[in-house]
Amino acid sequence: MTPKDEYTLETLRAAGLIDDAIAEKAAYLADEKGMDVTEVLEESGMITGEEITQAIASHYGMEMVSLRDMDIGQDVIDSMPADVARRYGVMPVYKRGNELTVAISDPQDMDTLDSLQYTLSSYDVVPVVASEREIKSSINLFYAGGVSRAGSALQELTEATISGIATDETAELFGDAEDATEEDAPIIKLVSLIIIEAFRKRASDIHVEPMETKLRVRYRIDGVLQEVESPPKRLQSAILQRIKIMANMKIAEKRVCQDGRIQINVMGRELDLRVSVVPTNHGESVVMRILDKDSLRLGLPELGFFTDDQQTFRGLIQLADGIVLVTGPTGSGKTTTLYSCLNEINKPDRKIITVEDPVEYQLSGINQVHVRADIGLTFGAALRSILRQAPNIVMIGEIRDLETAEIAVNASLTGHLVFSTLHTNDAPSAITRLIDIGVKPFLVASSLRGIMAQRLVRKICNKCSETYTPTEREMRSLGALAGQVENVQLTRGAGCQNCAYTGYSGRIGIFEIFIINEEVQHLIYEQVDSSEMRNKARELGMRTLREDGLRKVIAGQTTLEEVFRVTLGDMD
């Protein structure tokens, strides 16, 4: 029996609604059937759900509300996001000024109340008591917009959501539904709505994951996965099949991994969705990476560069030859940075060729080659061929092996400017990585011009930003850098509807730029280890990722928490 069941029985005994014998019997049946004691008592007819709720409310001196016939205003619903209501199992009831009255089922759960007050920090949360069953029903009823309505009324969901979107904005998405059968049309619209909702929430990825008892849908928003209300498990096969049709995949093949692409227009914006399907225990797992072409129009300032770093990096990408590397883990924005660089230097007098696996964005005026290892078009083979095309600038999606690295080095030494990426934690480690791959140190020293490591941090929401004084714990975490924020008022997001009460909206980069000069070249010849190389880089003026992040904290762009999260390995 759970602690919640124990205090429920104790409360009911204290109220005189049940005696010890009934309490013992209810506890025994609850354990035997795997039910809550309240369900056992209601099922047996010994006590009603309303009596249980009233007894709990009276015990804690709280007001009881009945949600069954309550008409809750839309402004009240908008004050609490659906994911918050579902996560904590609570329901907003009404608000007066800054007071938001919220129905809860367990007044003893102080952790939920504290978390709720923190999440809805713009309101003073006033709890009242309602039955758990009524709260769940109300959440399903009032938070029935968008994708969350798929579970109970698929057709109503599509009609209600479509009515709020201009027809010409979704014609391409819903066009197939007009000619589909009555059975297939709702599925077509549902999948389209999942994509629309992801775009509206600024998601970078859509994850559709078959679990044992449900089909889970999650959006990656500002680098963090957030689960949304998912369609019922029975629709799994139809939804996955629809996604595979849109991505031009083999719908009958469910045993092997497949990759595809969806090109669509959503609300006047051209989107590419890169689709990956992987067979798992409970069905095929799908990830759709949303590639928004408008993000490529970012200039260097929009990426998060301060003026000094912007000038340094702009000097690198304007060089006539050599290799410029961007490093970082998957999802750190390396591709966006490289494409933004190519856009900036894409001029009629320059020929630019890229070799990618896969081609993520279609760029006007640039020749892009999609690697296809299944037909022998590997990175190495493609690079050897494109050098005969006499390009000025070559972009290699990623240096993965010795063959690719050697061709990149040779291209840079014969008058080409080469951009590429590496998976390393910091900028100096890229040198060690190239040598470990097998590139001769003297070739690394001769060809490398600069290395930039980067991470993405969430930006503070500008609608709910507030100032605060850093705590002692935060100051201790900064170590030697604490002096930079001493007596400084920092900024954080309080949480609002605009940012879904996270305090963050959007992302920017933090950067570590390492320029290769003669001193560094000598260290490369001597094959010093990465720690010594890093120390030399610091002596020459390189700011670490954490130091650049701290500058953005002081400027009010992000928080210490975010910088700590993405720079755990940078403890200097």
Side-chain angles (χ1 to χ4, degrees):
M1 190 169 59
T2 66
K4 181 180 178 182
D5 285 341
E6 290 177 358
Y7 94 77
T8 298
L9 291 175
E10 182 181 341
T11 301
L12 295 176
R13 277 199 299 259
L17 295 174
I18 60 174
D19 56 25
D20 290 342
I22 292 177
E24 287 182 17
K25 184 176 180 180
Y28 172 77
L29 291 174
D31 288 337
E32 185 179 63
K33 297 182 178 181
M35 299 166 63
D36 293 336
V37 292
T38 53
E39 294 175 319
V40 170
L41 290 169
E42 285 186 69
E43 190 178 84
S44 65
M46 290 182 284
I47 190 172
T48 66
E50 188 173 345
E51 289 175 322
I52 295 172
T53 304
Q54 183 62 65
I56 293 172
S58 298
H59 181 76
Y60 287 95
M62 297 172 65
E63 179 188 350
M64 172 198 160
V65 296
S66 176
L67 302 177
R68 192 178 301 113
D69 301 316
M70 186 173 287
D71 184 16
I72 301 173
Q74 187 60 44
D75 61 327
V76 177
I77 301 300
D78 291 340
S79 66
M80 180 184 293
D83 61 327
V84 173
R86 294 182 187 281
R87 186 190 316 148
Y88 296 115
V90 298
M91 182 69 198
V93 180
Y94 42 80
K95 65 177 182 178
R96 297 186 184 93
N98 287 331
E99 277 193 2
L100 179 65
T101 301
V102 176
I104 63 174
S105 62
D106 184 2
Q108 196 177 24
D109 187 358
M110 299 305 298
D111 288 340
T112 290
L113 288 173
D114 289 343
S115 299
L116 201 61
Q117 181 61 73
Y118 178 79
T119 303
L120 305 176
S121 56
S122 56
Y123 294 101
D124 292 327
V125 176
V126 178
V128 294
V129 181
S131 73
E132 185 175 358
R133 182 176 300 172
E134 285 191 358
I135 289 174
K136 286 182 178 179
S137 297
S138 295
I139 291 173
N140 290 333
L141 175 63
F142 288 99
Y143 288 100
V147 178
S148 63
R149 241 196 286 187
S152 59
L154 182 58
Q155 188 61 42
E156 288 82 349
L157 171 148
T158 54
E159 290 175 358
T161 308
I162 294 166
S163 65
I165 305 171
T167 305
D168 58 343
E169 291 176 339
T170 55
E172 184 174 343
L173 275 172
F174 294 146
D176 292 347
E178 296 177 1
D179 301 323
T181 64
E182 184 176 347
E183 181 180 354
D184 292 339
I187 295 297
I188 292 173
K189 293 180 179 180
L190 175 59
V191 172
S192 300
L193 288 171
I194 290 174
I195 296 172
I196 291 173
E197 188 70 7
F199 173 75
R200 285 179 162 179
K201 291 185 174 181
R202 302 177 294 101
S204 60
D205 302 274
I206 305 169
H207 294 248
V208 182
E209 304 161 310
M211 302 285 108
E212 185 175 4
T213 59
K214 69 174 184 177
L215 179 66
R216 182 167 67 177
V217 177
R218 295 191 289 175
Y219 297 151
R220 188 180 296 278
I221 302 171
D222 293 335
V224 179
L225 279 172
Q226 298 181 17
E227 186 168 355
V228 298
E229 187 67 15
S230 303
K233 179 74 172 178
R234 59 186 171 81
L235 299 179
Q236 174 178 310
S237 178
I239 290 171
L240 296 180
Q241 187 177 58
R242 172 59 187 165
I243 293 172
K244 290 169 74 174
I245 289 172
M246 294 175 72
N248 293 316
M249 295 179 178
K250 298 177 181 177
I251 60 175
E253 182 56 78
K254 300 180 181 180
R255 300 166 300 172
V256 299
C257 303
Q258 295 189 67
D259 293 310
R261 200 178 200 97
I262 300 172
Q263 294 183 313
I264 56 175
N265 185 289
V266 176
M267 302 170 69
R269 298 272 287 275
E270 288 188 14
L271 298 183
D272 283 345
L273 275 68
R274 194 179 72 201
V275 185
S276 171
V277 174
V278 175
T280 65
N281 285 348
H282 304 295
E284 293 173 290
S285 175
V286 177
V287 176
M288 292 179 275
R289 167 67 61 86
I290 301 175
L291 306 171
D292 184 1
K293 292 182 179 179
D294 283 0
S295 66
L296 297 181
R297 299 172 186 171
L298 296 175
L300 296 185
E302 287 77 19
L303 292 176
F305 284 105
F306 281 137
T307 304
D308 52 353
D309 283 343
Q310 181 181 322
Q311 291 175 345
T312 301
F313 191 63
R314 181 169 277 135
L316 278 177
I317 67 177
Q318 296 289 350
L319 293 173
D321 58 23
I323 297 177
V324 177
L325 293 177
V326 179
T327 75
T330 300
S332 59
K334 300 187 298 295
T335 300
T336 300
T337 296
L338 284 183
Y339 276 128
S340 297
C341 293
L342 293 182
N343 265 343
E344 179 150 329
I345 61 178
N346 184 14
K347 302 291 189 293
D349 61 341
R350 296 173 179 170
K351 179 163 185 174
I352 302 175
I353 301 181
T354 72
V355 181
E356 306 167 66
D357 182 19
V359 173
E360 293 199 0
Y361 296 93
Q362 308 289 339
L363 295 177
S364 176
I366 293 177
N367 302 279
Q368 296 174 268
V369 179
H370 181 183
V371 169
R372 292 187 58 188
D374 56 330
I375 61 172
L377 186 59
T378 61
F379 269 107
L383 284 169
R384 279 191 294 270
S385 297
I386 67 170
L387 291 179
R388 302 189 192 103
Q389 298 271 314
N392 302 102
I393 299 163
V394 176
M395 194 271 272
I396 304 169
E398 181 186 348
I399 293 179
R400 302 177 179 178
D401 51 40
L402 177 58
E403 181 185 23
T404 306
E406 285 182 334
I407 295 173
V409 168
N410 290 333
S412 70
L413 295 175
T414 53
H416 303 85
L417 180 60
V418 179
F419 294 102
S420 191
T421 68
L422 268 181
H423 288 283
T424 61
N425 290 328
D426 59 11
S429 297
I431 294 171
T432 307
R433 173 64 177 150
L434 287 174
I435 294 173
D436 288 344
I437 286 176
V439 182
K440 298 291 190 294
F442 74 91
L443 291 176
V444 174
S446 303
S447 59
L448 265 185
R449 297 292 180 266
I451 308 162
M452 184 176 76
Q454 72 175 65
R455 300 289 190 277
L456 292 177
V457 293
R458 291 183 289 177
K459 289 195 299 184
I460 295 170
C461 174
N462 57 15
K463 298 286 181 64
C464 62
S465 61
E466 62 181 16
T467 58
Y468 77 104
T469 302
T471 64
E472 289 185 12
R473 179 181 178 186
E474 288 175 321
M475 296 293 284
R476 286 197 303 270
S477 300
L478 283 169
L481 301 177
Q484 297 184 33
V485 297
E486 194 171 358
N487 301 320
V488 174
Q489 286 287 101
L490 302 184
T491 307
R492 63 187 174 192
C496 64
Q497 189 172 346
N498 178 67
C499 61
Y501 298 92
T502 63
Y504 300 100
S505 179
R507 289 189 289 177
I508 57 171
I510 59 174
F511 306 98
E512 178 177 284
I513 303 176
F514 185 17
I515 303 298
I516 310 299
N517 60 15
E518 289 187 6
E519 288 185 70
V520 177
Q521 287 177 335
H522 286 303
L523 292 180
I524 297 174
Y525 292 143
E526 296 169 7
Q527 298 188 51
V528 302
D529 60 32
S530 58
S531 61
E532 187 174 344
M533 187 70 71
R534 184 174 178 80
N535 290 336
K536 172 56 69 174
R538 297 289 302 279
E539 288 177 19
L540 295 173
M542 182 190 81
R543 266 186 297 269
T544 66
L545 289 165
R546 178 162 289 189
E547 288 170 339
D548 189 51
L550 187 56
R551 290 204 299 167
K552 292 178 171 67
V553 169
I554 295 171
Q557 296 178 340
T558 188
T559 63
L560 285 173
E561 181 184 5
E562 271 297 284
V563 174
F564 291 153
R565 180 177 67 87
V566 302
T567 62
L568 286 175
D570 183 7
M571 302 303 293
D572 290 341

